[in-house]
Amino acid sequence: MAGALVRLRAARWSRPALALVVAVLLVLLPLVSSPYVNYQVTTMAVFAVALLGLNVVMGYAGQVSLGQSAFIGIGAYVAGYGTTHGWPLLLTFLLCCLLPGVVGMLVALAAARLRGLALAMVTIALPIVGTPVAKRLSDVTGGSQGLTVSWLDPPSWVALADDQWRYYVVVAIAAVVFLLTRNLVRGRVGRSFAIVRDNEAVALSMGISPYRTKVLAFTLASTIGGASGFLYLAVVQYTSPETLSFGTSINLVVAMVIGGSGSIAGAVLGAVYYVLVPVLAGQLDASRTALLSGAFLLLVLFVLPGGLVSLPRRVQQLLTRRRRRSATPSDDPGDRTGTPVLTSDGRTP
Amino acid sequence: MTDDASPGTGVPALQVVDVTLRFGGIRVLDGVSFEVAPRTVFGLVGPNGAGKTSLFNCISGHYHPGSGSILVDGVETRSTPAWRMARLGLARTFQHPALQLGETVLENVLLGAHSLLPGGPVSWSLRLPRTRTAERAARAEALELLERTGLRWAADTRAGELSHGLHKGVELCRALMSHPRLLLLDEPAAGLSHGEVDRFVETVATVRADLGLTIVVVEHHMGLISAITDRVMVLDHGAKLMEGTAAQAQVDPRVVEAYLGREVAEDEPA
Ligand SMILES: Nc1ncnc2c1ncn2[C@@H]1O[C@H](COP(=O)(O)OP(=O)(O)O)[C@@H](O)[C@H]1O
Ligand SMILES: [Mg+2]
């Protein structure tokens, strides 16, 4: 009992404490690590934002979206156009969110009445159509060659190298997006997402329109996707039709599932996977990157169906099971997984 | 025989007029009409498959009857989408509790506050003061409702860990969170233990008095129907068989026949 209380109190403090430690590490990291590591971590922040957007619509609201790459692509092109035309940074950023957001909303207004496979097909249309369009509009996009920019150099008043400055800008924006989204998925709106995902009949009786809720989720996902497009160009300094290709979308969905869908931390872990696994697999055996990535995907799905984010819970589960098995089983109430463990007249069996 | 079951304001809380519902060739509801006076409890009984749940679905807007009309507080609801019914003061529970099993009981109950909470996505992501105040108030109210139904201890438990009987209580709290004026309960006592049924009868009595609710309840448990309803309607094969008090219904030969003497005999009130 006392042990449980201590654990409870520890649980209450461990989250803010962990957040603080992570924040301090994130601030100090670029000062001590190499430009290469900074570049990789910044890229993770970019894809964490992209995955967060995908998570809003797929993980939280439960609507399949295979078009997230299109919004990253649009965001990156808007950012590229803005920098080459000397727009103010803030305006560029806002347009990078707004334009994909509007595109996402228009598609959702038309498609959100569809379900399952039909909906997935419509969302595929964006990257499928977007890739050739991007190649065509070569004045804006640089065509198949892509668009190379040179922007977001550190201002003269900061004594930071390019990689450090970009790291701070990207991570700061990502942190704000994460904070806002975290707030959103917790309260009133988050609950409406969850019930539209879980049971539309109940949603209706709670005064929630599934259609509007889905349109909102798609709009947010595409807006956040657009923001990650801005960040992408800031880090990579280059974008091409490849960014918004269908393949990118699929890889994002895979990374979201691996990280853990419907989870804020899952988006971060998914991004770590997205950036790190090709690097690691390439170092092991460059000719078998795809094979190794696929094997890792299968491994995670079999061992951790809830994604990497469920690892601590899974480990705890295994430990308790082992402990229970080693304890005397004679008067143990037994393994009650799957049956109600609480009854109307008692708290515990 | 229909009006003036209790002091009303004149306008019935619910009017169902000649409602007919078909699925393919099957007539699920056949010209059903009844009225429920404000602040009364109306029982809806009938054998399985009689169309009780379908009637609820018509009232809540989940189904669209082919003909007839349904008025809530005198307002025609035919063209009102289901998700707007909460704003007309309607709340319901489901025959098969539909909770989010992975969420805590408290989160499940909080969902019921959706239509009362202010603000959209922008204010909630910025955690503006008014959303925080409203959320805090909703949490306090949810805990109070759970206390009232004897579920306060389960607030932080995942709903999936609770027994079926407790799910019914959680659903009731969720429905009450929206401050309804008209509450539809679909078999709220099915699968409850004796103690739980008693507790439920008590809760309905206090909730009805405190909140001034009108309640329509589908139930097979005749003891419960006798204890809480002012009037009942018996439905069989989609058609209205009779309407009157619970005592009248239990001795009506048509009703006894519809039930084949089974459920009525089994659950005779003590
Ligand atoms: N969505 C539906 N599609 C087809 N038939 C339905 C549907 N909903 C209900 N029914 C039919 O309507 C009849 C009445 O069902 P229901 O309203 O659930 O009865 P009760 O709640 O009185 O047991 C049943 O025969 C059922 O099969
Ligand atoms: Mg039913």
Side-chain angles (χ1 to χ4, degrees), chain B residues 116-213:
Chain B
L116 298 179
L117 289 172
V122 175
S123 18
W124 281 87
S125 51
L126 292 172
R127 293 188 79 202
L128 294 185
R130 73 188 172 120
T131 64
R132 291 168 68 173
T133 318
E135 176 86 359
R136 215 175 306 129
R139 270 171 200 273
E141 191 186 339
L143 291 173
E144 208 178 285
L145 279 171
L146 287 168
E147 179 86 58
R148 198 172 216 175
T149 41
L151 287 166
R152 175 64 182 83
W153 59 271
D156 297 321
T157 310
R158 281 188 333 111
E161 290 172 25
L162 298 186
S163 71
H164 175 83
L166 298 185
H167 283 186
K168 297 261 175 184
V170 177
E171 265 219 335
L172 178 64
C173 292
R174 183 173 72 182
L176 289 173
M177 272 304 280
S178 65
H179 299 178
R181 289 193 303 282
L182 176 61
L183 177 61
L184 311 180
L185 302 174
D186 200 346
E187 306 205 10
L192 295 201
S193 70
H194 267 299
E196 286 169 335
V197 171
D198 291 344
R199 165 138 233 160
F200 175 76
V201 169
E202 230 172 87
T203 310
V204 168
T206 59
V207 154
R208 173 194 178 189
D210 295 358
L211 309 178
L213 274 176

Side-chain angles (χ1 to χ4, degrees), chain A residues 179-184 186-189 191-192 194-195 197-210 212 216 220 340-344 346-347, chain B residues 62 82-84 86 90-92 94 98 100 103 107 110-112 114-115 117-121 124-127 135 139 153 157 161-163 166 174 193 196:
Chain A
L179 191 67
L180 294 178
T181 308
R182 187 201 76 125
N183 291 343
L184 188 79
R186 296 240 164 136
R188 176 179 191 262
V189 183
R191 287 191 291 266
S192 70
I195 197 65
R197 174 192 65 204
D198 293 346
N199 193 326
E200 289 194 17
V202 173
L204 285 171
S205 71
M206 296 296 145
I208 295 160
S209 156
R212 290 175 177 218
L216 175 65
L220 287 171
V341 291
L342 291 157
T343 55
S344 52
R347 268 133 240 237
Chain B
H62 287 80
W83 65 273
R84 281 200 191 273
L90 184 97
R92 69 171 291 182
F94 292 83
Q100 293 171 286
E103 306 280 352
E107 280 293 310
L110 275 172
L111 177 66
H114 183 88
S115 54
L117 289 172
W124 281 87
S125 51
L126 292 172
R127 293 188 79 202
E135 176 86 359
R139 270 171 200 273
W153 59 271
T157 310
E161 290 172 25
L162 298 186
S163 71
L166 298 185
R174 183 173 72 182
S193 70
E196 286 169 335

Side-chain angles (χ1 to χ4, degrees), chain B residues 14-21 23 28-34 42-45 50-63 65 69-70 92 184 186 216 218 233-235 238-240:
Chain B
L14 173 68
Q15 278 169 284
V16 173
V17 186
D18 204 20
V19 162
T20 298
L21 173 76
F23 281 113
V28 171
L29 291 173
D30 191 1
V32 176
S33 301
F34 64 97
F42 190 90
L44 196 54
V45 296
K52 306 178 297 292
T53 299
S54 300
L55 183 53
F56 267 18
N57 284 338
C58 289
I59 299 170
S60 65
H62 287 80
Y63 288 174
S69 57
I70 295 169
R92 69 171 291 182
L184 311 180
D186 200 346
V216 184
V218 167
M233 177 177 83
V234 183
L235 208 59
K240 179 169 165 177

